[in-house]
Amino acid sequence: MATICVLNAGSSTLKYAVYETAPTLGRVAGGTIEGGSLDRVPLPDDVAAFGHRVVHGGPHLSQPVAIDPETFAAIEAVSPLAPLHNPPALAVIRALRDRFPDTMQVACFDTGFHHGHPAVADRFAIPDALYQEGVRRYGFHGLSYEYIAGALETVAPAIAKGRVVVAHLGSGASMCGLVGGRSVDSSMGFTALDGLPMGTRSGSLDAGVILWLQQTKGWSVDRVEHFLYHDCGLKGLSGLSNDMRVLLASDASLARLAVDYFVYHVARTAGALAASTGGLDAMVFTAGIGEHSPEIRSRVLRRLSWLGFEVDDTANAAGGPLLTASGSRLPAYVIPTDEELVIARHTAALFRG
Ligand code: ADP
């Protein structure tokens, strides 16, 4: 039977998932390869099509697309905007093209779901010429938000039509404002460095800090890039770990500060996005921290009690999906994300033509 193979290449891991296409799309295998070597992915010969997560599509690529040389070049052109993600995805695409030259490969973009943001959310306050060159607030984690928007139609159909803030809190973290299932704003911008503090990325940082590092400390561009992607965020602030589990278990004052900082900024960003969506009907938590940490969910929702959230501690500890009490003015949910399934659906659709 023909299968769809989904590949999600990161800086240090390669996640894969295999789906049978009939009678319905169903996951039959999957795993994570540390080190990211394609050689260790068990690839059957009857793969109908490969689907790839590509983090950055730049200004020209938003819809899932069968990869031809032109598409490949366009993904390569925006690699500097996703230096941890686009290059390993391209390496996998190239290796598969050599090994299975006749098999369709599809790229699905994390930026795609945010395409169509209003100009005020899509722009920086810089000259238009730079916008035309592609300096825009793209937004990321779009495959995850697309999954959540779809899942909400089952979990809470009335709310799926309304105004929802989704918090994708993993080692990369961002938040998205949805209205009627469509993204209207994101905490992430030009690159996946923006917005919330992350495992090792700073999140929003006054551009003046970067100037200061270069002018006063004499840091090179490469050093600044490495610093912003690898040495900041929870790891930088705590001086201990990029892993939220380690920080939650620690009594060290800087570890506590890092957790406080994370919670504060998730809540602050929820408030900002509630202004983008013109009010709020619900909030959703997803990804590693969002799905597995009742403590972080509870602390964020308590900070947002002024918006009308009242946590049900038992439901929250049990993993929801509804996290709030019956009398809560607004509901909050936890919904496990499934980016691979979204990629498999798009890949199967393009394969069937
Ligand atoms: P990625 O962006 O790599 O896909 P994930 O969405 O898998 O990341 O999230 C990974 C992060 O989730 C880990 O760095 C870890 O800090 C966090 N995490 C996983 N389980 C828990 C937990 N039980 N409590 C708190 N944090 C958790």
Side-chain angles (χ1 to χ4, degrees), residues 15 170-172 242-245 248 287-289 292-293:
K15 292 182 193 160
S171 55
N242 61 340
D243 191 326
M244 184 60 85
R245 286 165 290 200
L248 285 170
I289 299 170
H292 302 298
S293 179

Side-chain angles (χ1 to χ4, degrees), residues 29-55:
T32 300
I33 312 277
E34 299 295 332
S37 169
L38 187 61
D39 297 339
R40 289 168 51 210
V41 178
L43 290 172
D45 283 327
D46 64 345
V47 174
F50 295 103
H52 299 272
R53 175 183 179 217
V54 176
V55 163

Side-chain angles (χ1 to χ4, degrees), residues 13-324:
T13 61
L14 177 62
K15 292 182 193 160
Y16 70 94
V18 180
Y19 293 80
E20 57 186 22
T21 51
T24 55
L25 205 56
R27 183 171 167 134
V28 290
T32 300
I33 312 277
E34 299 295 332
S37 169
L38 187 61
D39 297 339
R40 289 168 51 210
V41 178
L43 290 172
D45 283 327
D46 64 345
V47 174
F50 295 103
H52 299 272
R53 175 183 179 217
V54 176
V55 163
H56 215 308
H60 305 302
L61 297 169
S62 58
Q63 295 301 312
V65 63
I67 302 169
D68 60 13
E70 211 176 311
T71 314
F72 190 93
I75 297 170
E76 207 163 32
V78 292
S79 278
L81 307 188
L84 303 192
H85 293 98
N86 275 25
L90 287 168
V92 171
I93 292 165
R94 196 183 284 119
L96 287 171
R97 191 186 53 197
D98 292 346
R99 197 162 142 196
F100 304 94
D102 301 324
T103 307
M104 181 184 223
Q105 298 202 56
V106 170
C108 299
F109 302 99
D110 261 327
T111 45
F113 187 66
H114 302 292
H115 210 76
H117 279 177
V120 286
D122 191 31
R123 295 251 180 175
F124 295 107
I126 57 175
D128 179 62
L130 287 168
Y131 177 82
Q132 300 306 337
E133 281 186 55
V135 185
R136 306 179 184 187
R137 297 194 67 252
Y138 293 94
F140 298 88
H141 294 128
L143 298 164
S144 175
Y145 296 126
E146 183 177 346
Y147 177 83
I148 299 295
L152 267 176
E153 289 174 18
T154 310
V155 175
I159 283 163
K161 298 187 181 72
R163 302 156 299 180
V164 181
V165 165
V166 185
H168 176 108
L169 310 177
S171 55
S174 77
M175 293 171 70
C176 176
L178 297 175
V179 176
R182 298 187 58 169
S183 169
V184 299
D185 202 353
S186 160
S187 65
M188 271 182 175
F190 185 49
T191 68
L193 283 174
D194 200 11
L196 300 174
M198 296 168 238
T200 61
R201 289 173 249 163
S202 62
S204 297
L205 189 66
D206 180 343
V209 174
I210 294 165
L211 295 175
W212 185 86
L213 291 171
Q214 293 174 321
Q215 292 169 339
T216 306
K217 292 179 78 77
W219 286 18
S220 67
V221 172
D222 285 351
R223 181 160 183 193
V224 172
E225 180 183 90
H226 190 273
F227 175 73
L228 295 175
Y229 278 99
H230 297 284
D231 294 336
C232 293
L234 298 174
K235 179 184 165 196
L237 200 46
S238 69
L240 179 68
S241 173
N242 61 340
D243 191 326
M244 184 60 85
R245 286 165 290 200
V246 174
L247 300 179
L248 285 170
S250 169
D251 287 332
S253 62
L254 284 175
R256 288 189 183 185
L257 174 64
V259 177
D260 291 347
Y261 187 94
F262 185 81
V263 168
Y264 175 85
H265 281 274
V266 172
R268 184 179 190 255
T269 304
L273 287 171
S276 305
T277 52
L280 202 57
D281 298 305
M283 180 164 178
V284 176
F285 292 87
T286 194
I289 299 170
E291 291 169 26
H292 302 298
S293 179
E295 181 172 347
I296 296 294
R297 292 195 299 257
S298 158
R299 288 182 57 182
V300 168
L301 290 171
R302 283 182 211 289
R303 266 202 171 266
L304 293 173
S305 60
W306 60 276
L307 270 172
F309 294 107
E310 192 191 322
V311 186
D312 176 334
D313 289 323
T314 310
N316 181 35
L322 183 63
L323 303 170
T324 39

